[in-house]
Amino acid sequence: MKSILFWLIFIALAPFACDGSVTTKIFLVRSAERVDFTESDWTTQAYNPYDPHLSRLGFAQATKLGKHLRSAKISKVYASPFLRTIQTAQYITDILEGIYDVLPEPGLCEFLNPAWFPEAENLTETLWAPTDFTSVVCEMTDEKYAPMEDPLVPEDVHMLWSRASRVLSRLVVRHPGESIVVVTHAMVIDAMLRCAFGRSYLTLLAAAPGPEAS
């Protein structure tokens, strides 16, 4: 159990009433461990330093999380278009039954803070690989998926919160009564939880049961 506790703290079961009786369950998942967190020189040699893939541990983490979600009756898996989130989603999807596509949603992308992406300058296509590439690396990527959002660079915190709120609302409308997985980034998860509950994920985690209760 301890091997997947890291992932449990980044999953939120979020109920939203669409018509007063239907509840949508959304599992918010942060990407698994990225390679530049374990290989300090990776960014200096990378073709796209903005878009690291998963580390070996990251692949194992995503697979374990997929096993944990196997009984959740997931109907769809969405992912930020960054490679690490697409890969996390694919390894989760590999374990789930009846799920054959990962839906790459730009509206779930990382917080486009200009300090984090100083060379992007309104060109989001320079931040992550195009779908035709990720569909080769991650064969479950749905190349025909029509995005809900087209985020802009640069982005401030208020723009992030608005983007996350819009995407969350559209997911609920699209999937009434379903259980879906959303693989994204810590800042986006925080923004969605603020939208849903008026609290950040850090305060929600502080109120959650500890490992002994899991």
Side-chain angles (χ1 to χ4, degrees):
M1 190 65 182
K2 288 185 178 180
S3 63
I4 62 171
L5 275 176
F6 174 80
W7 289 109
L8 290 177
I9 69 173
F10 286 108
I11 299 173
L13 189 63
F16 298 87
C18 300
D19 62 3
S21 61
V22 179
T23 296
T24 301
K25 295 179 180 179
I26 301 178
F27 291 86
L28 297 176
V29 179
R30 187 185 181 185
S31 67
E33 184 183 75
R34 43 195 277 187
V35 67
D36 56 336
F37 281 12
T38 59
E39 299 180 20
S40 58
D41 61 343
W42 181 86
T43 54
T44 63
Q45 304 173 17
Y47 173 74
N48 183 357
Y50 295 132
D51 197 16
H53 55 80
L54 293 184
S55 66
R56 290 184 179 180
L57 176 59
F59 288 120
Q61 289 173 328
T63 298
K64 288 180 179 179
L65 183 54
K67 293 177 180 178
H68 182 71
L69 293 172
R70 191 181 294 171
S71 62
K73 298 180 180 180
I74 302 300
S75 61
K76 294 290 182 182
V77 176
Y78 288 84
S80 156
F82 282 89
L83 190 55
R84 62 189 181 274
T85 39
I86 291 287
Q87 288 179 321
T88 301
Q90 168 151 324
Y91 274 71
I92 291 172
T93 304
D94 280 341
I95 304 297
L96 302 178
E97 295 182 2
I99 306 294
Y100 307 103
D101 298 306
V102 171
L103 307 178
E105 174 51 57
L108 296 170
C109 76
E110 179 66 275
F111 173 35
L112 300 177
N113 184 339
W116 297 356
F117 303 102
E119 301 172 12
E121 298 181 357
N122 293 318
L123 297 174
T124 54
E125 61 265 28
T126 65
L127 302 181
W128 55 76
T131 304
D132 57 357
F133 172 79
T134 55
S135 64
V136 173
V137 177
C138 304
E139 65 272 13
M140 289 186 177
T141 305
D142 184 351
E143 296 183 66
K144 297 181 180 179
Y145 173 73
M148 292 182 278
E149 280 278 326
D150 185 17
L152 298 176
V153 183
E155 182 178 56
D156 61 28
V157 171
H158 297 289
M159 292 169 67
L160 168 65
W161 289 352
S162 295
R163 165 165 65 91
S165 176
R166 289 192 300 272
V167 172
L168 187 61
S169 297
R170 289 167 184 165
L171 288 172
V172 171
V173 171
R174 282 190 181 188
H175 302 286
E178 299 179 38
S179 296
I180 64 174
V181 170
V182 172
V183 185
T184 182
H185 310 269
M187 289 289 288
V188 180
I189 291 174
D190 183 78
M192 286 185 167
L193 292 179
R194 287 176 185 274
C195 169
F197 304 110
R199 300 168 65 186
S200 73
Y201 78 88
L202 292 176
T203 58
L204 289 170
L205 289 176
E212 296 77 9
S214 298

